[in-house]
Amino acid sequence: MKYAKVRKEDGEKIRRKLGEAGKIAKGYPIISEAGFVFLPVIETKGLKYTIVEKAASSVEKPTLASLLKSKLTPRQLELLPGGFDSIGTIAILELPEELSAKGKHIAEAILKLHRNIKTVVAKASEHTGQFRLQMYKHLAGKKTKETIHRENGIMLKLDIEKVYFSPRSGTERQRIASQVKPNEDVLVMFAGCGPFTCVIAKNAKPRLVVGIELNPEAHKYSVINKNINHLENVTLYGGDVKKVLPRLGKRFDRILMPLPKTGANFLEVALKSAKKGAVIHLYDFQKEEDFPEATIEKIKKSCKKFKVLAAVLCGSYSPGVSRVCVDFKVG
Ligand SMILES: C[S@@+](CC[C@H](N)C(=O)[O-])C[C@H]1O[C@@H](n2cnc3c(N)ncnc32)[C@H](O)[C@@H]1O
């Protein structure tokens, strides 16, 4: 490999200059020896530095495929996932059937490549039941399913098996928080471990954010998350929205309904707690070709007078079916 030999004190300046000119050979080490720095160069023409030949092999960053070359067949290497979701320090893999026996090797390679990941699990079920929970199989690293996730300026502590949480919805949470006006009273139905309540309370200036959650574990984490984020204007209730909400006797400026599968069944109870002119965010699963009409039809069944403010696609549920949100103004 050809190297430009420069004095150590000029090394950084010349490295930058050669880099800007596109003359540095990427993937090769910069060598420091006895008061000199040796910069790997792709061509020497026009360079006024001393050029020396040095034995050096490329130090290309390892990839998942390069780390697994000896453990997987070429066909299996092709099937490696291009990425993974992470919740806090836990990486969540979705492995095709052909790779399930290689899960441990893949997980160990991920731990080597990503210093921030301490645990690797594989999805072992779909989201099921009233609490929308998902099971995971531990593959490598620290044996825990509890972690602290960071997004939109907040921390969220949760157990990925005891609580529903999707790291992919961070942008959607930001979209909603950015609409909250100062001094609004906001209701988050189906609050989970508190991602919407915390993101709104932290990033907007509501008077009050109320969260209601049925799953006792999720409610427990929601309270922890209110506390670790030092949020004072958040009030949380454990229990069924249909029972808790009428007992509060309170009306809200904004109501979030993040329960896409069956959320529309709660529209009537939501409307009874909505101030005149309140904004409701109804989440739904919809086939792309039926969006947004089919979700708007669901709203019409419970609400006589409303104005659609926005209809957005905010995630994918299954092939051809999206997670969607319709924002509408009541009355
Ligand atoms: C899709 S998850 C959303 C959780 C959270 N808002 C989030 O975005 O991560 C729906 C949540 O609604 C809760 N849930 C279901 N039925 C409920 C009800 N009748 N009353 C209150 N919460 C309910 C579930 O336990 C679950 O945590």
Side-chain angles (χ1 to χ4, degrees):
M1 187 69 207
K2 295 225 174 343
Y3 275 84
K5 181 182 176 186
V6 300
R7 287 188 316 173
K8 204 169 194 162
E9 54 271 35
D10 302 328
E12 181 50 27
K13 193 176 74 195
I14 297 172
R15 185 199 63 77
R16 229 177 297 132
K17 200 169 151 193
L18 289 174
E20 279 160 18
K23 294 202 168 166
I24 290 282
K26 288 192 183 131
Y28 286 86
I30 291 173
I31 300 163
S32 184
E33 262 174 29
F36 291 96
V37 169
F38 296 83
L39 301 166
V41 287
I42 45 177
E43 62 160 336
T44 55
K45 215 171 132 200
L47 294 185
K48 50 185 186 336
Y49 312 109
T50 308
I51 301 296
V52 297
E53 190 74 39
K54 274 190 171 287
S57 51
S58 162
V59 285
E60 286 285 328
K61 274 199 183 144
T63 62
L64 198 53
S66 71
L67 287 181
L68 290 164
K69 229 161 46 193
S70 62
K71 311 264 191 238
L72 271 61
T73 65
R75 161 85 186 133
Q76 287 172 330
L77 287 171
E78 269 173 31
L79 293 173
L80 279 173
F84 53 83
D85 279 344
S86 57
I87 300 182
T89 54
I90 304 178
I92 300 169
L93 302 188
E94 225 176 325
L95 293 177
E97 189 56 41
E98 295 98 311
L99 288 183
S100 58
K102 300 287 180 180
K104 199 168 165 50
H105 291 310
I106 298 170
E108 277 163 359
I110 286 175
L111 286 175
K112 270 191 201 141
L113 284 176
H114 303 272
R115 282 162 167 262
N116 55 329
I117 297 296
K118 305 292 177 213
T119 303
V120 184
V121 299
K123 280 187 188 170
S125 78
E126 295 304 319
H127 286 104
T128 57
Q130 214 174 4
F131 297 163
R132 312 301 302 141
L133 301 182
Q134 186 161 44
M135 304 308 284
Y136 300 93
K137 182 179 172 218
H138 176 266
L139 295 175
K142 194 174 165 200
K143 270 202 167 162
T144 182
K145 291 189 177 153
E146 190 180 70
T147 186
I148 295 183
H149 186 76
R150 287 174 167 78
E151 68 154 65
N152 290 308
I154 59 148
M155 291 183 287
L156 283 172
K157 188 171 187 177
L158 67 134
D159 181 309
I160 59 169
E161 250 178 13
K162 294 182 182 162
V163 166
Y164 171 95
F165 177 72
S166 170
R168 295 188 188 185
S169 298
T171 314
E172 174 59 12
R173 289 187 269 273
Q174 174 53 37
R175 186 184 77 86
I176 301 292
S178 70
Q179 295 180 34
V180 175
K181 298 188 190 78
N183 293 320
E184 277 190 7
D185 289 331
V186 180
L187 169 64
V188 182
M189 291 174 140
F190 325 118
C193 64
F196 273 112
T197 50
C198 292
V199 171
I200 290 171
K202 185 82 178 184
N203 294 280
K205 290 191 168 49
R207 179 163 54 198
L208 178 67
V209 184
V210 169
I212 306 176
E213 170 57 46
L214 185 63
N215 173 359
E217 282 292 330
H219 175 64
K220 179 191 90 180
Y221 280 111
S222 183
V223 173
I224 292 173
N225 291 327
K226 168 193 156 143
N227 292 332
I228 61 176
N229 289 291
H230 311 292
L231 303 169
E232 277 167 13
N233 52 349
V234 174
T235 307
L236 301 164
Y237 298 91
D240 185 334
V241 158
K242 284 191 178 164
K243 291 186 186 149
V244 174
L245 199 48
R247 274 193 234 130
L248 297 185
K250 190 169 167 45
R251 289 183 180 266
F252 296 88
D253 299 291
R254 185 176 301 275
I255 301 178
L256 280 66
M257 303 182 68
L259 180 63
K261 217 172 169 79
T262 51
N265 301 340
F266 293 79
L267 271 169
E268 273 166 37
V269 66
L271 286 162
K272 283 190 187 138
S273 298
K275 289 183 192 173
K276 194 168 184 318
V279 174
I280 297 188
H281 305 276
L282 175 69
Y283 290 85
D284 196 10
F285 290 134
Q286 271 309 328
K287 283 194 191 142
E288 273 140 38
E289 63 268 27
D290 297 338
F291 171 76
E293 293 77 13
T295 306
I296 294 171
E297 278 309 309
K298 290 185 185 179
I299 300 169
K300 277 187 190 157
K301 285 192 183 135
S302 304
C303 190
K304 295 287 155 279
K305 220 172 143 211
F306 67 94
K307 185 177 167 213
V308 173
L309 302 176
V312 297
L313 298 168
C314 48
S316 90
Y317 178 60
S318 60
V321 179
S322 292
R323 185 174 193 265
V324 307
C325 182
V326 173
D327 304 343
F328 65 98
K329 196 173 174 151
V330 179

